[in-house]
């Protein structure tokens, strides 16, 4: 009874071409991979793209109450995309598979938890002889992960189960797309977001707006197209990029500025769908981490129960198809107090480790009696020193009060800004107060979004 | 209570580019569109790509026991791909939509039955104000039809529900595909079929075999690749074609020569999945039509019940996703007496009108006490003369005996070969006897496969 955890935060199938990510960003997501250390259980095997600080591992396992020495952490040699990503050549390299095979046998691994169950993981699972025990393998082995990674698949399923989504559609024809964009949005003064079918974290998204000044949240940029002619020009220019050379599809949706992003995390298990939790992406002063649970300021002002029901409803077809694993359903709370679902991700989420910390470290009714605020892109002193400073300032996480600060991701960047922490407070105000004290302690962690 | 039937036998979404179909083939499928006349009910509206012979319409409505004059048949002006296909420009042309709108109102249309519910039909349904009453519209409007038309989607769902499929996988990487093809198939002396993700009727399929002499049934051709080098050469040459310019996926499966194709037709309805029937594609002397039900020679020799159960199981995720409509599940009976599912089609099937004839014309327990043999690519004299000749020879369909011959599709080709008929016998032997008599009567209908 042990789990093989593979922290492949970005894969070929998630982003299309890993080369399109800058080396800096690849190092950043490679560092971020430490998040999955919080998913460790006694005796598990963890695969990371870069070796973590041993002190960090002892800190995590200590907080989780498991034996560091019973846990194995493996890092394959750098691959064709460097160190930050667990590309296929790294995961499926012969020597590394041999090493993993030995670890799987020694630890009695009978479960696999990747960040993203893509075809490389499927190949690896088969090579390790774990295909028979892996829930959902039949689906994932036949490119089910890629299918669910498609934004067009999301739109079809959301439409099918009647989930509230932004007005929009899926297009393969430029002329249809132009007509739709113009008639439904631009001619009415509304901006729209255009999403490549396969991409992640806004890298394949652009906003088209009839007016300037629309902040491209969740997209690479905003393009202004004030009339039909400018729209045609823009589309002709970008259609090949939007549609992978003219053959794929593009999702076009109403873009609602000043919306607050929220999410619900669920698990599709053999027996059915289970709810993990929900939260909000903090937008102000900058986009920087999560608040768990979603604060009442947004959740109480909309039909949040309806959103959670829709999220669960969207998981039913995923269950029927044979998917097993985590589902993160993203939505926006609009200034008009609508809540609209705009994406799902069938993989480990950016929130998964925060909920694990809630369940395994904070415990109790963490989801109702505590607030967890996660901060990203922070700059720390070296790990041991950071922990010591927090403790000396009385800010370290304290199991007795079930409050305080946990370093969730160590900052291994020489230039800083790769670190993450999680503040546990009794209320949002309490968490924010602790957060400010941490900020003062480290003379202001960078918050670059 | 009337249905708008749209016989769009080939669509942009089914074949990618309608221009890739020859004009001759487009005329052929345009003629074949008459099949859906057998789906007519009292007061329905039927859209066809070409105008049918009025005598044919009277024959069909007469056999169905409905009033010809209460039924409206509409044909939009020819479009950019000519007359044979109901391309988007024809279906969604402003004048034609106006005409349809009037017909929809006059006939009290509250249901839509296209051959293929693609995005053009979705646009049309919305323009006609029928989106609110159309089951499954939410899913189909958001490109659900395209999603289910993907062969990769089929493989994922089949894998997810554990349906028996030919060994295979879905590939986006040429190197992975080459390794898989070589290791699993070619190096073991086995041929494989490569399928473009989006195509229909074998147009996007090729077979690769280590030896010559493999008949490319359901594919365009067989390519011989006797060693790894020839395989690499073939793949490098064809990868852009197979993957839509390198960005799509290709399905690779074991190809089992000398297999017999069978199908099961089901309906995904609001309340659940219903079974329509099953049949076999007749292979000898040439591929030419259907036998309904699948004869015991194939059905009794394999786990046919297991196949039907798997077919129903595959419909569960389609139901959960929100698809509503017909599903045709295709399988092969191999020489080793395996039965393997190799495709589903979420649209009206080539078998749908035969089952309608069974239900509406033959009636009773047609599926157990009669055998229906459909023949395609037949050459007839002009329609009225053909019907007269059949009647004079005592071969016309007789409601009293529930046997005889129905002209299911009139042959409007000047060169012949576009006609189809359905022979109803008490047994397969009886149907074959009637078929021979028809063949002698018309001095041998062409059977070009």
């Amino acid at each position: 009874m042990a789990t093989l955890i593979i922290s492949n935060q970005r894969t070929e199938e998630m982003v299309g071409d890993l080369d399109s990510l800058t080396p800096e960003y690849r190092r950043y997501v490679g560092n971020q991979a430490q998040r999955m250390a919080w998913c460790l259980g006694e005796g598990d095997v963890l695969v990371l793209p870069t070796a973590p600080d041993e002190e960090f591992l002892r800190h995590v396992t200590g907080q989780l109450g498991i034996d560091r020495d019973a846990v194995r952490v493996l890092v394959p040699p750098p691959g064709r995309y460097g160190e930050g990503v667990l590309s296929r050549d790294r995961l499926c390299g012969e020597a590394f598979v041999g090493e993993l095979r030995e670890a799987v046998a020694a630890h009695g691994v009978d479960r696999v938890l990747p960040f993203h169950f893509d075809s490389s993981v499927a190949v690896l699972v088969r090579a390790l002889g774990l295909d028979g025990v892996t829930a959902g393998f039949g689906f994932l082995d036949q490119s089910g992960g890629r299918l669910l990674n498609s934004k067009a698949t999301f739109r079809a399923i959301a439409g099918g189960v009647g989930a509230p989504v932004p007005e929009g559609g899926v297009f393969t024809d430029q002329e249809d797309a132009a007509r739709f964009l113009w008639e439904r949005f631009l001619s009415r003064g509304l901006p729209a977001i255009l999403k490549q079918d396969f991409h992640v974290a806004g890298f394949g998204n652009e906003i088209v707006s009839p007016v300037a000044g629309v902040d491209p949240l969740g997209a690479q940029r905003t393009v202004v197209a004030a009339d039909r002619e400018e729209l045609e020009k823009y589309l002709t220019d970008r259609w090949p990029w939007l549609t992978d050379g003219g053959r794929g599809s593009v999702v076009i949706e109403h873009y609602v500025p000043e919306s607050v992003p929220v999410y619900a995390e669920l698990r599709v298990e053999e027996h059915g769908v289970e709810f993990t939790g929900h939260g909000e992406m903090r937008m102000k002063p900058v986009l920087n981490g999560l608040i768990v649970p979603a604060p009442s300021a947004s959740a109480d002002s909309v039909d949040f129960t309806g959103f959670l029901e829709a999220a669960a409803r969207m998981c039913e077809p995923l269950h029927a198809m044979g998917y097993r694993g985590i589902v993160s359903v993203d939505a926006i709370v609009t200034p008009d107090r609508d809540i609209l679902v705009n994406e799902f991700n069938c993989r480990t989420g950016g929130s998964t480790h925060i909920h694990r910390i809630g369940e395994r470290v904070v415990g109790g009714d963490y989801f109702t009696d505590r607030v967890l605020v996660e901060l990203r892109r922070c700059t720390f002193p070296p790990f041991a020193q950071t922990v010591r400073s927090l403790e000396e300032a009385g800010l370290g996480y304290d199991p007795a009060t079930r409050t305080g600060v946990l370093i969730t991701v160590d900052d291994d960047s020489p230039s800083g800004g790769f670190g993450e922490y999680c503040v546990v407070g009794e209320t949002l105000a309490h968490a924010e107060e602790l957060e400010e004290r941490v900020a003062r302690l480290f003379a202001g962690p960078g918050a670059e979004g």
Side-chain angles (χ1 to χ4, degrees), chain A:
Chain A
M1 285 290 287
T3 300
L4 169 61
I5 301 170
I6 303 168
S7 198
N8 56 341
Q9 304 277 318
R10 293 295 179 274
T11 69
E12 286 88 342
E13 282 174 25
M14 279 167 75
V15 300
D17 181 7
L18 288 172
D19 255 335
S20 69
L21 307 178
T22 63
E24 162 77 6
Y25 186 77
R26 290 196 297 251
R27 274 195 304 274
Y28 170 64
V29 293
N31 189 74
Q32 202 179 69
Q34 294 172 41
R35 289 176 181 174
M36 285 192 85
W38 294 96
C39 297
L40 280 166
E42 191 80 32
D44 286 350
V45 178
L46 171 65
V47 180
L48 289 176
T50 52
D53 186 325
E54 182 55 32
E55 300 261 9
F56 171 75
L57 280 178
R58 295 208 170 267
H59 171 75
V60 173
T61 50
Q63 296 287 356
L64 291 169
I66 60 178
D67 178 5
R68 161 64 188 100
D69 297 323
V71 158
R72 179 108 57 120
V73 178
L74 296 172
V75 178
R80 59 199 288 191
Y81 303 102
E83 284 196 316
V85 288
L86 286 171
S87 49
R88 169 171 294 209
D89 59 328
R90 297 183 74 185
L91 276 182
C92 299
E94 208 174 316
F96 185 67
V97 171
E99 199 179 342
L100 264 184
R101 197 176 280 128
E102 183 273 314
V104 161
H107 287 248
V109 165
D110 56 2
R111 199 172 152 255
V112 181
L113 175 67
F115 183 81
H116 179 221
F117 207 125
D118 72 338
S119 59
S120 304
V121 174
V123 165
L124 181 62
V125 164
R126 204 188 276 283
L128 297 173
L130 293 171
D131 43 317
V133 297
T134 299
F137 187 77
F139 175 76
L140 295 161
D141 180 48
Q142 296 293 323
S143 78
R146 185 172 192 270
L147 173 67
L148 299 185
N149 196 32
S150 150
K151 294 179 172 63
T153 299
F154 161 77
R155 288 288 306 187
I157 289 180
V161 305
V165 292
E167 187 181 356
V170 184
F171 296 86
T172 53
D173 182 272
Q174 188 185 327
E175 214 174 291
D176 294 342
R179 191 178 319 117
F180 185 80
L181 271 168
W182 184 251
E183 290 175 4
R184 301 283 183 99
F185 304 119
L186 303 197
S187 69
R188 299 179 185 176
L190 304 172
I193 187 166
L194 289 82
K195 301 178 178 181
Q196 285 184 5
D197 197 0
F198 294 100
H199 229 301
V200 75
F203 280 107
N205 302 349
E206 290 191 340
I207 289 161
V208 180
S209 169
V211 292
V214 173
D215 195 23
L217 176 69
Q220 291 208 290
R221 59 169 184 161
T222 298
V223 177
V224 173
D227 56 33
R228 185 76 196 242
E229 200 180 322
E230 283 182 6
L231 175 63
E232 297 290 351
K233 195 166 163 303
Y234 162 73
L235 276 183
T236 300
D237 179 36
R238 293 301 272 174
W239 195 253
W241 180 82
L242 287 163
T243 59
D244 258 346
R247 310 311 297 254
S249 30
V250 58
V251 167
I252 299 177
E253 282 175 0
H254 181 201
Y255 178 76
V256 190
E258 308 295 325
S259 295
V260 177
V262 294
Y263 74 88
E265 187 173 315
L266 304 98
R267 302 182 309 280
V268 177
E269 299 187 347
E270 203 55 40
H271 64 275
V273 177
E274 298 282 349
F275 175 72
T276 299
H278 57 69
E280 178 179 311
M281 299 289 300
R282 186 146 63 162
M283 303 296 299
K284 288 175 183 171
V286 291
L287 175 61
N288 191 20
L290 301 174
I291 304 171
V292 173
S296 57
S298 48
D300 291 356
S301 67
V302 294
D303 181 10
F304 207 78
T305 307
F307 160 61
L308 296 178
E309 283 167 2
R313 221 155 60 231
M314 294 181 69
C315 289
E316 295 299 339
L318 307 179
H319 183 268
M321 279 188 232
Y323 176 74
R324 298 294 177 268
I326 293 165
V327 180
S328 211
V329 179
D330 293 348
I332 51 169
V333 173
T334 72
D336 291 345
R337 317 321 291 170
D338 267 337
I339 182 160
L340 301 172
V341 183
N342 58 356
E343 190 162 317
F344 62 42
N345 289 295
C346 296
R347 55 173 181 259
T348 302
S351 50
T352 303
H353 66 296
I354 300 299
H355 292 288
R356 288 280 181 133
I357 286 169
E359 292 157 10
R360 298 280 304 278
V361 180
V362 184
D365 284 337
Y366 88 94
F367 200 65
T368 52
D369 68 11
R370 286 295 178 274
V371 170
L372 281 65
V373 173
E374 180 218 29
L375 282 126
R376 301 175 182 174
R377 298 272 191 187
C378 304
T379 302
F380 301 148
F383 184 78
Q385 188 187 327
T386 302
V387 172
R388 209 163 41 240
S389 303
L390 286 171
E391 270 163 22
E392 284 166 8
L395 286 167
Y397 180 77
D398 177 359
T401 60
R402 296 167 62 233
T403 61
V405 180
L406 294 155
I407 307 293
T408 48
V409 169
D410 182 29
D411 177 11
D412 84 347
S413 168
S415 55
F418 281 10
E420 303 187 355
Y421 55 69
C422 176
V423 179
V424 186
E426 289 180 357
T427 60
L428 181 54
H430 182 209
E432 285 174 340
E433 181 207 316
L434 293 174
E435 188 192 342
E436 266 175 47
R437 287 176 56 197
V438 176
R440 281 198 300 274
L441 183 67
F442 297 130
E448 304 155 37

